[in-house]
Amino acid sequence: MDFSTLQTGMGLGGLALSSFVIGLSGAVMPGPVLAVTITHTVRRGFWAGPLIVAGHGLIEVALLAGIVLGLGSIITKPLVSGGIGAVGGVVLLWMGLGMLRSLPGLSLREIMRGEGPQGRHPVWDGLILSAANPYFVIWWATVGLGLLLAASNSTWGLWGLAAFYFGHICADLAWYGLVSATVSKGRSWLSDNIYKWVVGVCAAALLIFAVYFGVFAWGELGRAFA
């Protein structure tokens, strides 16, 4: 996406729109945030999605600031990205196993009445899952960095950065808001057994991503120490 063309065309709106489209293409890909959004929505309703995006957005703001200050070249080093992948794999393993251990005692009706275990807050899960995802961090250090530089070097300077981030976070809100709305409307027909299956499938997804992150970390650390 060429931001310089948009400068003379749609202006700041073009920057935001371009960022929205690029961000949406990444948001709709399955990942650990999607799995946790589904489980939190079943427990808490529609607002779980936006709350997870809020935690996700806090990490993005921190990364955005760090990259602008020169963090991008450090994040892409194999030793650093491999370390992030290793930590991310451990976090996902811990979360997935915790969800599996909770299955026998899960009762959707108790949770909906405000009884039973509620688990971590959605904002917290959105934050830690994003921070532990090496692909998310590296995307910001590579693709995100290129887009940030293009936006900051545009006619509008910091306003360009603001438009870029606004479009990006709106993409996350649009997708995960849609997921939450869809899942929350189906809560009325969910039984405890169906709920346990949903949590079990999402836990399995987290464990698969834990292995995926582990393989990634192994490859990156292998490059670092080769």
Side-chain angles (χ1 to χ4, degrees), residues 37 41 46-50 53 170-184:
T37 298
T41 300
F46 167 76
W47 286 105
V53 172
C170 281
D172 291 330
L173 283 170
W175 172 243
Y176 289 109
L178 176 62
V179 170
S180 286
T182 302
V183 174
S184 63

Side-chain angles (χ1 to χ4, degrees), residues 33-145:
V33 175
L34 176 63
V36 172
T37 298
I38 292 171
T39 57
H40 272 299
T41 300
V42 172
R43 290 177 173 182
R44 301 172 181 267
F46 167 76
W47 286 105
L51 287 172
I52 285 175
V53 172
H56 176 79
L58 289 174
I59 289 295
E60 288 190 322
V61 168
L63 268 178
L64 187 150
I67 289 170
V68 169
L69 295 174
L71 187 61
S73 60
I74 298 174
I75 293 173
T76 53
K77 292 183 181 298
L79 183 61
V80 177
S81 59
I84 293 171
V87 172
V90 171
V91 169
L92 291 182
L93 181 65
W94 167 65
M95 293 181 71
L97 291 176
M99 290 168 69
L100 289 178
R101 284 196 299 267
S102 72
L103 285 180
L106 285 181
S107 172
L108 182 60
R109 299 295 174 254
E110 289 182 0
I111 290 172
M112 287 183 174
R113 289 197 302 265
E115 304 169 7
Q118 289 291 324
R120 293 173 299 275
H121 196 277
V123 173
W124 178 243
D125 270 357
L127 191 152
I128 61 175
L129 282 172
S130 300
N133 187 340
Y135 298 100
F136 166 78
V137 176
I138 290 172
W139 184 93
W140 271 101
T142 53
V143 179
L145 175 60

